[in-house]
Amino acid sequence: MSISEGTLITPADFTGAGSAGDVSERGKFGVFGGRFVPEALIPALDEVAAEYEKARTDMAFIREFDHLLRTYAGRPTTITEVPRFAEHAGGARILLKREDLTHTGAHKINNVLGQALLTKRLGKSRVIAETGAGQHGVATATAAALMGLECVIYMGAVDCERQALNVARMKLLGARVVPVTNGSQTLKDAINEAFRDWVTNVDSTHYLFGTVAGPYPFPGIVRDFARIIGVEARRQVLELTGKLPDAVCAAVGGGSNAIGIMHAFIEDEGVRLHGYEAGGRGLETGEHALTLTAGSIGVLHGSRTYVLQDDEGQTIESHSISAGLDYPGVGPEHAWLKDSGRATYHGITDAEAMDAFALLARTEGIIPAIESSHALAGALKLGRDLGPDATILVNLSGRGDKDMGTAMKYFNL
Amino acid sequence: MTTLATVFEKARAENRAALVGYLPAGFPTIDGAIAAATAMVEAGCDVIEIGLPYSDPLMDGPTIQDAVHRALENGTRIADVMRTVEGVAKSGAATLVMTYWNPIDRYGADRFARDLADAGGVGTITPDLTPEEAGPWREASASAGIDTVFLVAPSSTEERIGIVADCCTGFVYAASLMGVTGARESVGSAAEGLVKRTRPHTALPVCVGLGVGTGGQAAEVAAYADGVIVGSAFIRRLLDAPNEQEGLRAVRELAAELAEGVRR
Ligand SMILES: Cc1ncc(COP(=O)(O)O)c(C=O)c1O
């Protein structure tokens, strides 16, 4: 099916062919995933899983989702070749998948529209969500406004400050933003608080989870709704270059934009998959979010995965200049892709990410999100490794407007 | 040694419900928690749950979060939890550890079960360990000879209640309401129904927790449950006390009020 006609997505796009962790396996990706949650939430998780199982093969649901992606989110998103930027990557060919051009400015909108439709099918009238950078919160508030749902967003108090613009956007969209003041006051604590709300209000409320982490069925559902990124990009790269890319790069926080672009390439053995985590101030400083690179296997937020934890299983606070990557856990499918060797994960420091952020702005006139800048920095390194014949596809997961406060401080603008 | 079985036998013989008190290790201090739990036993608690402080207590409300946060700030480690269990078990109460799963997972299931048994602990309550994931922990606990308590909730289906109850030894923990820990104005109306729905699935005692904080509420719950579990209300007393002495007096007073409640 071509991109310009018919539906963007087909039922086949929803089955997640070629990967473990299909919802029918109850969310196990090898030893990773599963469910570690209070028993009180099990019926709600079962309900979401069962409804999603029906929805994903229901043409009416798929058509509605497709319609929203096209007429509301602005899909398909284009790919942009960035030769001036690529000069700094040893001349490799770099193609950006432009999720920054979607409505609300990040890949998060894809998952949110899918789950908001699911919320309506579940007969629920209220959505809650956690947010780090505020992009998932903005996307959720947007979908809630569109569909007439009550919306409460939990956001770490530290993140509220560094992403003040997004707090204002959410409020304008009619959401209530609850600053979370316990723990590290960032994404992990916002998730704890959202779970507490959910267990209290589960009859009326859907927890619109924002990334491919959490208990089954969230990792599979969020992946399937984000999968369109890679499905489109694979066709687009083939159309443009006549072959598949040599590598696919994405930033990894919880892992949704990364799995979204990687998933359609998993069966393509020649395509290398690279995820870039936030190296913060550097591994040796202990101030980073290198969950896959430097963490160990444990349980956080309902699923078995890699976790930043101490020798007694206490979560270690992460650090990143980018709120969206500042998370000490990661989606279980990435843990599985890492251990199976199919994908490789690396760290990018704050400084490397900010350099790539500024470089893309100056060379191509595109201001990326700081999250996405980690993937861009990764592509710069990878290009130098792979040489000028390589084609690298990068998920530009979001735009940088929300990060201007950070950029102003960092670059003294 | 006092076991869960002997506690419930004794309570049944006295025609009353058992009183279960919760306190996190390391709060207000490591020795302070041992002293407070011991005072609770002396004033009438039959069972003590020692909470293992965890960085991400997503089932807990503000009171327990606050206490656990202080315990972690105090540098409380698993060795301290074991030491607390040892201290409290000496008071004659059946002493359990209540913990999220990750600390056990990291410590090693077999090692944790053995160390807990060695410290005189009689079992664990693991609120985020689902039956699907509980296999290794049940095996480790069985070989160490300690009990495994899991939770059922008002939202649980009959099928789930059956599955959870099958994993329990010692007792079944019935969460009185949909929500997090914390004392409330009234005990959830769903609690009695949940206990009734649980009975056909198990011969084990069924205890009710979440939201119980007064003698009146304890009496109400004791009318239909085998045990009454109180946590946040004890912690509140310690948090509000101007000093440790006053705190001990306050938890003693509350334990006595609750002990009277379960005997009404
Ligand atoms: C633009 C952007 N990219 C990436 C992320 C990281 O999330 P994930 O790893 O789930 O894609 C975020 C999260 O807020 C984001 O806003």
Side-chain angles (χ1 to χ4, degrees), chain A residues 99-100 105-108 131-137 163 166 187 210-213 222 229 250-260 276 322-327 330-331 334 368-373 395-400 402-403:
Chain A
E99 293 302 295
D100 61 317
H107 70 288
K108 302 278 182 190
T131 196
Q135 288 304 104
H136 177 57
Q163 307 285 340
N166 273 343
L187 184 55
T211 189
V212 289
V222 177
I229 303 169
V252 180
S256 66
N257 88 86
I259 209 77
Y276 296 93
S322 119
L325 304 185
D326 198 349
Y327 180 55
V330 67
H334 286 292
I370 300 177
E371 290 79 12
S372 322
S373 301
N395 193 1
L396 195 71
S397 56
R399 62 179 178 234
K402 69 179 175 63
D403 295 315

Side-chain angles (χ1 to χ4, degrees), chain B residues 30-57:
Chain B
I30 290 160
D31 290 333
I34 299 174
T38 304
M40 284 155 61
V41 176
E42 287 165 2
C45 284
D46 304 287
V47 178
I48 294 289
E49 299 172 7
I50 294 299
L52 192 157
Y54 175 54
S55 52
D56 293 274

Side-chain angles (χ1 to χ4, degrees), chain B:
Chain B
M1 190 178 105
T2 314
T3 64
L4 288 174
T6 58
V7 163
F8 287 104
E9 246 167 62
K10 176 162 172 272
R12 208 173 301 122
E14 294 172 6
N15 200 17
R16 64 171 177 93
L19 179 60
V20 183
Y22 165 94
L23 267 193
F27 171 78
T29 59
I30 290 160
D31 290 333
I34 299 174
T38 304
M40 284 155 61
V41 176
E42 287 165 2
C45 284
D46 304 287
V47 178
I48 294 289
E49 299 172 7
I50 294 299
L52 192 157
Y54 175 54
S55 52
D56 293 274
L58 62 75
M59 228 202 86
D60 287 304
T63 308
I64 293 183
Q65 281 180 49
D66 192 358
V68 158
H69 181 71
R70 290 179 196 215
L72 288 172
E73 300 264 282
N74 290 343
T76 308
R77 308 254 313 161
I78 291 176
D80 301 311
V81 175
M82 296 299 176
R83 191 155 73 71
T84 305
V85 168
E86 205 171 343
V88 176
K90 281 196 196 119
S91 69
T95 308
L96 296 156
V97 164
M98 177 137 181
T99 180
Y100 291 88
W101 175 243
N102 197 48
I104 299 185
D105 194 74
R106 186 84 175 133
Y107 194 82
D110 288 319
R111 179 176 163 224
F112 193 97
R114 248 184 289 116
D115 287 358
L116 180 56
D118 288 348
V122 299
T124 56
I125 305 171
T126 44
D128 65 345
L129 186 61
T130 52
E132 288 74 11
E133 305 288 351
W137 182 235
R138 291 171 64 199
E139 274 172 38
S141 296
S143 39
I146 58 172
D147 286 317
T148 51
V149 175
F150 297 92
L151 280 75
V152 293
S155 59
S156 300
T157 59
E158 299 306 309
E159 189 194 357
R160 277 312 283 189
I161 293 174
I163 293 170
V164 172
D166 280 348
C167 295
C168 291
T169 66
F171 66 90
V172 179
Y173 189 133
S176 70
L177 47 81
M178 295 299 290
V180 294
T181 55
R184 302 220 180 16
E185 290 288 308
S186 64
V187 179
S189 56
E192 185 169 5
L194 177 59
V195 173
K196 280 212 181 95
R197 291 199 293 132
T198 305
R199 296 283 187 208
H201 297 281
T202 181
L204 291 172
V206 182
C207 300
V208 169
L210 296 198
V212 187
T214 66
Q217 289 171 337
E220 192 188 309
V221 171
Y224 55 82
D226 304 304
V228 179
I229 305 171
V230 179
S232 297
F234 282 116
I235 293 170
R236 191 76 264 155
R237 295 296 191 286
L238 292 173
L239 284 169
D240 290 348
N243 56 48
E244 213 165 310
Q245 242 15 66
E246 275 305 299
L248 285 180
R249 198 190 55 72
V251 291
R252 205 183 287 277
E253 193 177 276
L254 177 62
E257 175 189 332
L258 295 164
E260 184 275 321
V262 299
R263 286 169 172 82
R264 250 181 241 169

Side-chain angles (χ1 to χ4, degrees), chain A residues 66-384:
Chain A
D66 184 86
H67 181 76
L68 284 174
L69 288 181
R70 217 185 256 281
T71 64
Y72 191 72
R75 301 209 76 88
T77 58
T78 192
I79 52 171
T80 301
E81 179 154 14
V82 287
R84 280 169 40 77
F85 179 78
E87 280 172 21
H88 299 264
R93 203 168 174 188
I94 297 183
L95 307 174
L96 305 184
K97 178 61 172 164
R98 299 292 305 277
E99 293 302 295
D100 61 317
L101 296 179
T102 55
H103 179 45
T104 71
H107 70 288
K108 302 278 182 190
I109 193 73
N110 304 305
N111 165 48
V112 158
L113 290 173
Q115 282 199 58
L117 286 177
L118 199 60
T119 305
K120 291 211 298 186
R121 282 181 71 116
L122 288 162
K124 298 193 169 177
S125 58
R126 179 174 179 266
V127 287
I128 55 172
E130 82 293 346
T131 196
Q135 288 304 104
H136 177 57
V138 166
T140 303
T142 299
L146 176 70
M147 298 189 199
L149 300 166
E150 186 190 340
C151 179
V152 177
I153 304 293
Y154 291 94
M155 187 168 184
V158 169
D159 291 339
C160 286
E161 205 170 301
R162 58 181 162 175
Q163 307 285 340
L165 187 66
N166 273 343
V167 174
R169 288 169 84 195
M170 288 183 266
K171 287 184 178 164
L172 191 60
L173 290 161
R176 190 158 70 83
V177 180
V178 182
V180 177
T181 51
N182 38 31
S184 59
Q185 310 192 12
T186 61
L187 184 55
K188 100 177 161 65
D189 308 283
I191 294 176
N192 292 340
E193 209 52 34
F195 269 112
R196 293 182 187 117
D197 178 316
W198 202 30
V199 77
T200 309
N201 300 299
V202 70
D203 281 344
S204 67
T205 301
H206 176 61
Y207 182 1
L208 210 159
F209 206 77
T211 189
V212 289
Y216 163 77
F218 287 121
I221 291 181
V222 177
R223 175 200 65 205
D224 287 359
F225 288 143
R227 212 176 161 270
I228 184 70
I229 303 169
V231 169
E232 284 176 7
R234 193 173 179 283
R235 285 181 203 139
Q236 290 167 320
V237 175
L238 276 173
E239 227 165 81
L240 182 74
T241 69
K243 60 185 184 61
L244 290 170
D246 296 290
V248 174
C249 299
V252 180
S256 66
N257 88 86
I259 209 77
I261 197 162
M262 286 175 179
H263 203 261
F265 293 95
I266 285 180
E267 303 274 87
D268 301 319
E269 275 173 27
V271 180
R272 294 188 224 183
L273 307 176
H274 293 279
Y276 296 93
E277 299 189 299
R281 301 200 166 98
L283 177 61
E284 63 292 344
T285 66
E287 293 182 45
H288 56 75
L290 296 168
T291 312
L292 287 162
T293 329
S296 52
I297 296 171
V299 170
L300 180 65
H301 292 142
S303 121
R304 180 178 297 284
T305 184
Y306 279 84
V307 182
L308 291 179
Q309 57 181 340
D310 71 11
D311 61 334
E312 296 209 329
Q314 307 290 349
T315 311
I316 294 173
E317 288 177 14
S318 53
H319 166 86
S320 170
I321 193 166
S322 119
L325 304 185
D326 198 349
Y327 180 55
V330 67
E333 191 164 7
H334 286 292
W336 178 76
L337 286 170
K338 171 192 155 87
D339 278 16
S340 67
R342 180 64 189 93
T344 318
Y345 298 86
H346 324 261
I348 293 293
T349 63
D350 288 349
E352 289 170 323
M354 292 311 285
D355 285 349
F357 174 90
L359 185 65
L360 190 73
R362 265 186 278 108
T363 56
E364 301 286 349
I366 299 170
I367 301 177
I370 300 177
E371 290 79 12
S372 322
S373 301
H374 288 70
L376 291 165
L380 290 174
K381 289 188 183 179
L382 190 64
R384 287 176 217 129

